[in-house]
Amino acid sequence: MTDMLSGFPDSLVAPTPEAGFQLAIKLSRLGVKATQPDAEVLNRLRPKYSRDADALIASSQVVAIHYQTIAAANDYWREL
C-alpha cells in the first residue's frame, strides 16, 4: 500500500488557498490510484470517463470535499 500512496502529503497545511486547491487535486488523484492501482486499466478507461459529464461532476465533488477539509485545516486562511 505504501507504493500506492507515494507522494502522500505530510500535512494538510497549505500557505494559500490556491496551494490548498492543488493539494486537494493531489489527494483526489491519490484516491483514484489507491482505488485502481493498475495504470493500464486507468489509461484504458480515461477516454470514456473524460467525456462523461456525470463522471466529471463526481470528480469535481471529490476535489471539493478534499478542498473543504484542507480549508478547515488551514482555518480558512484567516489571519489571526
Side-chain angles (χ1 to χ4, degrees):
M1 178 110 172
T2 313
D3 269 356
M4 280 188 279
L5 297 179
S6 64
F8 196 84
D10 294 329
S11 171
L12 295 181
V13 174
T16 65
E18 183 178 353
F21 187 72
Q22 293 300 322
L23 181 56
I25 291 169
K26 180 177 185 150
L27 289 174
S28 298
R29 288 179 175 171
L30 285 170
V32 169
K33 188 176 179 182
T35 304
Q36 178 47 267
D38 187 332
E40 184 179 324
V41 172
L42 282 174
N43 289 332
R44 191 172 62 242
L45 294 174
R46 184 171 289 134
K48 181 179 179 183
Y49 69 75
S50 70
R51 291 180 195 69
D52 181 337
D54 290 334
L56 294 171
I57 290 168
S59 296
S60 294
Q61 288 174 321
V62 171
V63 172
I65 291 166
H66 285 305
Y67 186 63
Q68 191 174 34
T69 301
I70 292 163
N74 287 277
D75 195 24
Y76 302 94
W77 292 277
R78 288 191 189 127
E79 296 285 328
L80 296 180

